[in-house]
Amino acid sequence: MKQLLILCQQEEKKLGRLGNQRADAQTRVTENHKQRQAIDNMLNEYHGSSSHRVNPLLLQNNANLLSTLKPLQNKLDKQEVLLQREHQRMDGLWRRQLGRQKGLSWLYEQRKSEQRKAIDAQEQKQLDDLSSRYQNQG
């Protein structure tokens, strides 16, 4: 019984660690998405503004900026896919661990209940035995 309780506690700790890792993975996905959104906004802004500019230097600066942002956008796209996969992997691990932890907790509670019932039955038997002795003596 004691070992089952220790196992339950260990599984609870594992679940907590996996929950933290799962949350961290989600945070990385969210941060990457925000960066990707910012790059998209900048690209849209510079695409729109480049057609209105007639100054060759400003057009060149816009072209340079666009050529710098495009590879960054592609990198963030690839990174987003990897981060989402990692998050899905961590979510799967967390869900499996949750099932394991819940199952062990249920088993522990069942055993504890069975043990309580056995102790209650034993105590009741002792009380019945004592009661019958007193009745036989009296």
Side-chain angles (χ1 to χ4, degrees):
M1 189 69 167
K2 177 86 170 153
Q3 289 111 353
L4 188 56
L5 176 61
I6 291 169
L7 185 59
C8 284
Q9 291 168 343
Q10 289 172 343
E11 296 302 316
E12 184 74 31
K13 287 178 186 174
K14 283 182 192 176
L15 183 64
R17 284 193 300 271
L18 284 171
N20 289 339
Q21 291 173 343
R22 178 179 171 235
D24 290 345
Q26 178 60 50
T27 300
R28 287 191 298 276
V29 167
T30 302
E31 287 303 313
N32 186 78
H33 185 73
K34 286 178 185 176
Q35 290 174 358
R36 175 69 165 77
Q37 200 78 27
I39 297 292
D40 287 348
N41 290 343
M42 287 169 50
L43 282 170
N44 289 336
E45 184 179 318
Y46 285 110
H47 269 301
S49 66
S50 65
S51 62
H52 302 304
R53 305 211 175 165
V54 286
N55 183 328
L57 186 58
L58 290 176
L59 285 173
Q60 182 61 43
N61 283 345
N62 259 4
N64 289 341
L65 190 59
L66 291 174
S67 68
T68 303
L69 290 177
K70 207 61 169 149
L72 185 56
Q73 183 186 38
N74 292 337
K75 179 184 174 189
L76 288 172
D77 285 344
K78 290 175 186 173
Q79 193 174 21
E80 184 172 359
V81 170
L82 295 174
L83 289 171
Q84 285 176 341
R85 284 185 189 155
E86 177 62 12
H87 179 257
Q88 289 170 348
R89 186 182 77 81
M90 290 307 305
D91 187 58
L93 290 173
W94 180 82
R95 287 176 188 276
R96 281 192 292 280
Q97 183 63 28
L98 178 64
R100 178 178 169 84
Q101 186 271 332
K102 291 290 182 193
L104 283 170
S105 290
W106 177 85
L107 180 62
Y108 174 73
E109 291 301 322
Q110 287 296 112
R111 295 271 169 87
K112 202 163 84 170
S113 176
E114 290 168 5
Q115 190 177 43
R116 244 184 274 122
K117 286 177 186 174
I119 290 171
D120 289 348
Q122 185 180 13
E123 287 175 353
Q124 187 62 47
K125 184 180 180 322
Q126 289 172 349
L127 288 173
D128 291 345
D129 289 347
L130 282 174
S131 175
S132 68
R133 281 190 201 154
Y134 285 118
Q135 284 179 353
N136 291 338
Q137 288 178 353

